Amino acid sequence: MAHGMILIDQERCKGCSLCIEVCPQHVITINTSKLNAKSYHPAGLDDPGGKCTGCAICAVICPDACITVLREPPLRRGVGLSSPTVERML
Amino acid sequence: MARELLKGNVAIAEAALRAGVEAYFGYPITPQTELLEHLALRMPELGRVFLQAESEIAAINMVYGSACTGTRTMTSSSGPGISLMQEGMSYIAGSEVPAVIVDVMRGGPGLGNILPSQGDYFQVTRSAGHGDYHPIVLAPASVQEAIDFTMLAFDLAEKYRHLVIVAADGMIGQMMEPAELPPMRPLPTKRPDWALTGADERPKRVISSIYMSAEAAERFNLKVQARLKEIRRNEQRSTEYETDDARLLVVGYGSAGRIAHSAVVAAREKGLKVGLFRPQTLYPFPEASLSKIISRIQGCLVVEMNAGQMIEDVQLVAAGQVPVRFYGRMGGVVPVPEEVLAAIEQAYDSMSELSLAAPA
Amino acid sequence: METMTAPLELQTVYQRPNALEDTYTNYCPGCTHGVAHRLLAEAIDELGLRDRTILVAPVGCAVFAYEYFDLDGCEAAHGRAPAMATGVKRALPDRIVVTYQGDGDLASIGAGEILHAAGRGEKISVVFVNNAIYGMTGGQMAPTSLPGQKTSSSPKGRDVAMTGNPMRMSELLAQMEGSAYVARRSLHDPANIRKAKKAILTALKVQEAGLGFSMVELLSSCPTNWKLTPSEALKWIETNMLPIYPLGDYKVADAVRDL
Ligand SMILES: Cc1ncc(C[n+]2csc(CCOP(=O)(O)OP(=O)(O)O)c2C)c(N)n1
Ligand code: SF4
Ligand code: SF4
Ligand code: SF4
């Protein structure tokens, strides 16, 4: 499985939760402690285990086009890439 | 160019071509149909756009779309069709794109008939559908004027980014008269800097008539009102006949103005001091010239082919200084000069009685 | 944007399309109008049409569509987008002209204009968002509302004896000789959204190739007026709309198959 991550535009997100429902890895949550300028609780990646595969299903359903999806490039033979974690990326 | 015998509708169509109309969208309705038919033949010959729309509603919205691309665009219709176009006209007004409409007026209300009328005066001068606006309205009284005003209509539309209506009555549309067509003008080579053409190497452009906040909508309206003021200052047009020593002024436009002219000539032959004022622009109403004349006459007689619509504008100018009487025929009845002369004589008499009765 | 930055070894595999403006939309949370916008923008980007596309926005919830796309755009009167688009296209035949219309706009007040645009084979592309209701005016019945559907103007449910049955516009417009491509897709899940995107790509290609009228009907949600959560609304499309509005290609002219 490839490793991936997503970035969610916190100001554009309307917290509709559709991405949460479709994510096969269940790694998106609504951040109820945060309110954006339009008073929505935005969604965010919550993936301490690095399970996001970068499949982009969340981005396909997002009505507000606020998800950017990143993914590892395909593995080069014999060269393993370390799995990115959210902590590393912050 | 030589004078040739031309039918009004055809002359208007040919004048539009020579003015450089690039796209025409319209729907058949008598008494303007020859206009559409002439363009159906000529526009494709010249590689320009002609499309018979499925309705006047579609036609005016096609005009709107085409005009948004900075293309010189027109439509034509008559009473019922103009009624249907009101919403589209309002959108055109609300987004400041130039467009030309020819209204060859017929008898109403309802389906009415196809006979000449001036019953659309209110409809074309008071607004373009909903909202605060006035199209520029030109009223020809001959085939020659129909040609000249059609040319002028495109100039004014583009100069002010405004809707211009050529309001001809059915008589002007249908009559044959010798007239001279202007030479063919070159088509514009450059699109204006507001036109939609695709955002190619420039920021995108938007044409819309939405002003969501009250403040934005009022700001837009103030801009329109300022433009209307400029139009009122610059574009009033009218002709006069024998007004210098006139005691009674006859006011009429289009065919009614022309018939009134014959009646005024006859009245003069009888020794009555009568003059004629013929507005050529219905909006802006030629109030400046009219008020000058009104200050030196004793009475006014408005002649129209309707129940009295322009009379309101004359009354506004007269402002109670002189009595304003009315003579009109409706439903497609075209008055003959004799009956207008009779109305003139009546008005003249009552005026004399009035001035006799008035204290010195 | 989040303050996170991507580590070097990750590549961007999906991002917001360029043809969308960097702006916030007025759509309700979870409304699939947004998805339809995104798909259209992605298709325009992929075909490299941004600098020669002119968008005609409707009256309806998508009234500000011209603000959401980074395209030249204009705003038509309610239902008249196909006529306005006709004017644009006839004036500029080499540009790509797209209308974006709701079901009240296209199937009710503008039924005449869309029918004749298709009939003429007008070379425009129509994105038709069918949410079985009037969204903008607060949830009244549309010609596309389902039998028995409760709306603010059919409070006891749409009575087909009184108001007729849902109008199937794709089926109708496919009958027109002038239509080259007419398809119905749905936005209720990712797989269907991907298919919808393909259909929009096809519609634009049909226009580019000058083959005739093209339209993609998208079954879309209106969580607000259906009074459902965004995800319940997607299920409502699947359960209630799909049986009435079967998905599929209703018109694929021969020349379209060769594209
Ligand atoms: C001539 C006219 N009639 C009525 C309206 C009011 N109106 C605005 S939007 C709308 C319905 C829009 O519904 P739909 O096309 O289904 O789009 P949605 O809002 O659901 O996306 C109506 C009736 C109008 N703006 N203009
Ligand atoms: S890219 Fe796939 S796995 Fe990652 S968050 Fe989105 S849906 Fe979930
Ligand atoms: S689908 Fe988009 S708008 Fe909805 S919660 Fe997810 S990121 Fe936010
Ligand atoms: S009212 Fe309905 S269609 Fe309109 S934006 Fe809201 S959810 Fe979408």
Side-chain angles (χ1 to χ4, degrees):
Chain A
M1 272 288 198
H3 288 293
M5 69 168 290
I6 60 168
L7 303 169
I8 296 182
D9 185 332
Q10 299 292 288
E11 283 311 311
R12 224 192 298 268
C13 172
K14 292 176 185 157
C16 73
S17 296
L18 290 178
C19 54
I20 297 173
E21 310 221 359
V22 298
C23 170
Q25 303 300 326
H26 309 289
V27 289
I28 314 177
T29 54
I30 291 287
N31 185 349
T32 46
S33 60
K34 189 169 171 179
L35 269 188
N36 65 20
K38 297 277 180 182
S39 300
Y40 292 117
H41 294 302
L45 183 68
D46 181 9
D47 186 20
K51 290 197 289 183
C52 171
T53 60
C55 68
I57 288 176
C58 52
V60 166
I61 206 146
C62 175
D64 286 280
C66 43
I67 304 182
T68 304
V69 184
L70 304 149
R71 197 193 296 154
E72 275 180 353
L75 287 186
R76 275 172 288 150
R77 197 194 305 271
V79 187
L81 286 176
S82 56
S83 47
T85 62
V86 177
E87 284 78 14
R88 273 188 58 206
M89 289 169 209
L90 282 173
Chain B
M1 290 244 172
R3 279 160 74 84
E4 46 190 316
L5 198 60
L6 289 165
K7 186 171 192 163
N9 281 334
V10 173
I12 293 173
E14 194 55 38
L17 277 174
R18 292 171 192 226
V21 69
E22 299 172 273
Y24 173 94
F25 304 90
Y27 189 80
I29 184 170
T30 316
Q32 67 81 47
T33 301
E34 297 87 357
L35 202 169
L36 172 144
E37 288 169 343
H38 187 77
L39 291 175
L41 186 73
R42 293 278 283 141
M43 293 292 272
E45 276 176 8
L46 296 170
R48 305 185 195 174
V49 176
F50 171 90
L51 186 61
Q52 180 172 325
E54 63 270 29
S55 68
E56 288 86 351
I57 296 179
I60 191 70
N61 286 287
M62 289 173 185
V63 166
Y64 184 23
S66 173
C68 283
T69 68
T71 299
R72 205 168 272 167
T73 310
M74 75 178 283
T75 184
S76 59
S77 190
S78 184
I82 300 291
S83 302
L84 276 179
M85 288 184 187
Q86 295 286 331
E87 185 201 33
M89 286 162 59
S90 185
Y91 275 67
I92 289 171
S95 49
E96 306 180 285
V97 294
V100 171
I101 298 176
V102 178
D103 178 8
V104 186
M105 296 180 274
R106 60 187 254 173
L111 191 55
N113 59 34
I114 58 170
L115 300 165
S117 158
Q118 296 181 326
D120 290 357
Y121 185 93
F122 282 152
Q123 162 157 261
V124 296
T125 60
R126 288 312 188 249
S127 69
H130 54 287
D132 279 307
Y133 188 84
H134 300 275
I136 295 173
V137 184
L138 307 173
S142 65
V143 173
Q144 187 61 57
E145 263 189 3
I147 292 169
D148 299 343
F149 289 179
T150 302
M151 305 286 291
L152 176 65
F154 288 97
D155 294 341
L156 294 177
E158 280 159 37
K159 176 172 178 197
Y160 295 103
R161 287 178 62 179
H162 209 82
L163 185 62
V164 181
I165 299 181
V166 178
D169 50 74
M171 210 159 109
I172 303 295
Q174 293 296 323
M175 70 164 55
M176 301 267 299
E177 219 172 33
E180 186 178 328
L181 283 162
M184 194 68 90
R185 271 197 223 164
L187 294 183
T189 48
K190 242 185 87 210
R191 298 285 165 216
D193 60 8
W194 47 261
L196 304 184
T197 54
D200 193 4
E201 308 202 339
R202 58 157 173 79
K204 75 169 190 184
R205 293 175 184 157
V206 161
I207 294 182
S208 134
S209 61
I210 307 179
Y211 305 91
M212 274 302 268
S213 71
E215 292 72 22
E218 186 172 59
R219 232 178 293 125
F220 173 74
N221 270 286
L222 287 171
K223 186 175 155 204
V224 170
Q225 292 307 314
R227 188 168 69 230
L228 288 170
K229 198 169 163 192
E230 194 189 336
I231 289 170
R232 281 198 300 273
R233 196 168 50 236
N234 299 339
E235 306 300 344
Q236 297 183 17
R237 287 171 169 78
S238 57
T239 60
E240 296 169 25
Y241 172 70
E242 300 275 20
T243 56
D244 286 349
D245 63 341
R247 294 187 57 220
L248 176 72
L249 184 71
V250 181
V251 187
Y253 60 96
S255 292
R258 200 165 153 159
I259 295 157
H261 186 272
S262 307
V264 168
V265 171
R268 279 279 168 182
E269 277 164 14
K270 289 191 166 193
L272 303 184
K273 293 200 159 147
V274 183
L276 176 75
F277 183 79
R278 181 166 65 80
Q280 293 169 304
T281 49
L282 304 183
Y283 191 93
F285 192 70
E287 53 199 18
S289 331
L290 181 60
S291 75
K292 272 191 213 129
I293 306 174
I294 281 188
S295 67
R296 54 176 196 256
I297 56 163
Q298 279 86 53
C300 245
L301 172 69
V302 174
V303 181
E304 295 182 77
M305 279 145 61
N306 57 34
Q309 300 192 17
M310 180 188 65
I311 189 174
E312 293 190 0
D313 286 326
V314 176
Q315 280 167 333
L316 280 173
V317 177
Q321 298 170 64
V322 295
V324 180
R325 294 171 66 111
F326 180 73
Y327 185 77
R329 298 298 301 264
M330 283 166 280
V333 179
V334 179
V336 292
E338 290 71 29
E339 59 187 294
V340 178
L341 177 61
I344 289 174
E345 287 173 324
Q346 231 184 8
Y348 207 84
D349 286 349
S350 73
M351 211 170 60
S352 309
E353 280 158 25
L354 265 181
S355 52
L356 283 179
Chain C
M1 270 288 181
E2 279 181 2
T3 49
M4 295 191 294
T5 50
L8 279 175
E9 60 266 38
L10 290 184
Q11 294 175 345
T12 301
V13 292
Y14 182 84
Q15 65 186 12
R16 194 179 165 79
N18 288 328
L20 279 186
E21 278 281 9
D22 191 15
T23 177
Y24 179 91
T25 73
N26 286 328
Y27 299 116
C28 306
C31 170
T32 48
H33 261 304
V35 178
H37 277 34
R38 209 192 63 228
L39 299 185
L40 175 59
E42 288 175 10
I44 288 170
D45 278 1
E46 281 171 35
L47 298 175
L49 298 175
R50 197 202 68 88
D51 51 8
R52 59 189 186 101
T53 298
I54 296 168
L55 178 78
V56 184
V59 174
C61 283
V63 69
F64 289 122
Y66 60 79
E67 283 192 358
Y68 304 150
F69 288 88
D70 185 19
L71 303 168
D72 269 14
C74 52
E75 209 287 311
H78 192 22
R80 316 304 170 207
M84 192 171 187
T86 297
V88 175
K89 184 73 183 187
R90 295 283 174 137
L92 301 174
D94 60 343
R95 290 332 121 88
I96 299 296
V97 183
V98 179
T99 74
Y100 184 103
Q101 302 179 254
D103 46 340
D105 195 78
L106 182 142
S108 190
I109 193 167
E113 282 73 18
I114 195 71
L115 193 68
H116 284 273
R120 286 191 301 268
E122 210 59 63
K123 295 175 188 69
I124 59 172
S125 303
V126 176
V127 176
F128 168 33
V129 175
N130 179 359
N131 58 14
I133 208 158
Y134 284 12
M136 188 192 215
T137 40
Q140 295 81 18
M141 188 183 74
T144 43
S145 293
L146 308 187
Q149 185 180 337
K150 284 193 177 146
T151 71
S152 65
S153 60
S154 58
K156 301 217 154 96
R158 180 175 188 174
D159 175 358
V160 296
M162 295 288 288
T163 63
N165 274 290
M167 283 173 64
R168 297 187 178 93
M169 296 308 286
S170 286
E171 285 85 333
L172 180 69
L173 296 173
Q175 300 301 309
M176 301 287 116
E177 303 261 339
S179 57
Y181 181 68
V182 177
R184 183 183 290 123
R185 299 288 186 267
S186 175
L187 302 177
H188 72 275
D189 65 22
N192 278 285
I193 291 171
R194 289 201 164 99
K195 289 184 191 154
K197 159 90 170 288
K198 282 208 184 101
I200 294 174
L201 277 166
T202 306
L204 293 176
K205 284 187 208 159
V206 164
Q207 183 178 172
E208 250 198 310
L211 301 181
F213 176 86
S214 55
M215 180 177 94
V216 181
E217 172 175 352
L218 300 170
L219 303 185
S220 187
S221 69
C222 177
T224 301
N225 289 303
W226 295 353
K227 302 185 172 56
L228 298 172
T229 66
S231 105
E232 286 166 354
L234 297 188
K235 286 186 193 86
W236 195 88
I237 296 179
E238 191 177 8
T239 319
N240 299 297
M241 288 184 80
L242 289 189
I244 305 258
Y245 295 112
L247 305 184
D249 292 346
Y250 287 91
K251 179 74 168 279
V252 184
D254 290 342
V256 176
R257 290 180 211 284
D258 303 335
L259 278 179

